[in-house]
Amino acid sequence: MISFFSIRLCYGEMVLAENVTFSVAPGEVLLLAGPNGSGKSTLLRALSPGGVLLPTGIPKLRGFSVDEFVRTSLYRISDWAGRLDRATSERAEKALGDMGLEGLRGRDVSTLSDGEFQKAAIAAALSLRTPLLLLDEPTAFLDAGARQEVLSLIHRAARESGTAVIFSSHDLSVSLRFSDRVLALPADGRFLISGTDPESKVSVLEEAFGKKTLF
């Protein structure tokens, strides 16, 4: 169990949210939602010392295969020559398999679709064996089919690896299906957290957005 207590989110002198307190269990997937400017990205950065934050907008650099991209992303746990130990190599192999990328290992990442590249970036993060993976809009710019596929793979990989995942998203209808609970930041500085039942998750989202017809 990973717990966070009394986090205060600020943007300059503006207080975005106070008393952000919650816990996340191994393998649990939490959706972070709220209106624009409510502090979602700020919260993910505040939580990042406890895990690995995968930002949006990672460039597709020509000249790297998918396998090389994942292995290069693991430089922080490689030796002085950039070599990975056997356990890390095996985790990278498994993460590529979990993301459905076995057949694309030799492809140049610049030729991948946005959905394929996002899956490669997530595979790299999972290979770090982090207890907590933070994803800032992991389905941004993906089409409807790719959004559902990526979130489904994230949910399954979290369950199998025991990695807790917190991801932000504006695509509430799809994201809700692949989240265990909802963390919400309304625009008024409050912090809301749901239970695991569907009614509780929808209720928290509706309160956060001030609407009763989100779905």
Side-chain angles (χ1 to χ4, degrees):
M1 186 77 72
I2 302 172
S3 299
F4 300 94
F5 299 97
S6 300
I7 295 173
R8 190 181 198 219
L9 302 178
C10 299
Y11 184 77
E13 296 184 357
M14 181 186 303
V15 177
L16 301 176
E18 294 190 271
N19 195 32
V20 176
T21 298
F22 69 97
S23 297
V24 56
E28 189 176 20
V29 179
L30 305 185
L31 166 62
L32 175 60
N36 288 331
S38 61
K40 296 185 297 298
S41 295
T42 302
L43 176 57
L44 290 174
R45 289 193 295 271
L47 301 179
S48 61
V52 172
L53 173 60
L54 184 64
T56 55
I58 300 173
K60 299 180 190 178
L61 297 177
R62 187 182 301 276
F64 283 86
S65 69
V66 170
D67 190 57
E68 290 169 338
F69 169 76
V70 170
R71 290 174 178 275
T72 300
S73 300
L74 303 176
Y75 71 91
R76 70 184 75 179
I77 55 174
S78 64
D79 66 12
W80 64 271
R83 294 172 300 213
L84 302 175
D85 61 32
R86 181 174 179 178
T88 304
S89 294
E90 289 176 350
R91 288 202 304 272
E93 295 264 354
K94 184 178 187 306
L96 285 169
D98 289 343
M99 290 292 111
L101 298 174
E102 305 99 322
L104 300 179
R105 290 179 52 183
R107 280 267 301 274
D108 192 297
V109 295
S110 66
T111 68
L112 298 179
S113 69
D114 290 341
E116 290 167 340
F117 184 67
Q118 186 70 314
K119 287 188 282 185
I122 293 168
L126 287 170
S127 301
L128 290 167
R129 190 184 270 175
T130 176
L132 177 63
L133 179 57
L134 306 164
L135 304 173
D136 195 0
E137 293 284 347
T139 59
F141 313 117
L142 303 184
D143 61 37
R147 288 197 298 269
Q148 181 167 314
E149 181 184 16
V150 167
L151 290 178
S152 175
L153 289 169
I154 290 171
H155 195 269
R156 187 180 70 186
R159 285 285 189 275
E160 293 178 353
S161 67
T163 297
V165 176
I166 301 174
F167 73 99
S168 63
S169 179
H170 288 288
D171 187 358
L172 303 180
S173 59
V174 174
S175 298
L176 202 59
R177 294 173 53 194
F178 299 102
S179 60
D180 300 304
R181 288 186 292 157
V182 172
L183 310 179
L185 295 172
D188 58 8
R190 290 179 298 149
F191 173 71
L192 307 173
I193 184 164
S194 78
T196 57
D197 57 290
E199 294 79 9
S200 176
K201 292 190 286 185
V202 170
S203 176
V204 162
L205 287 174
E206 290 178 337
E207 185 174 354
F209 286 89
K211 299 177 180 178
K212 296 298 182 183
T213 57
L214 281 173
F215 305 96

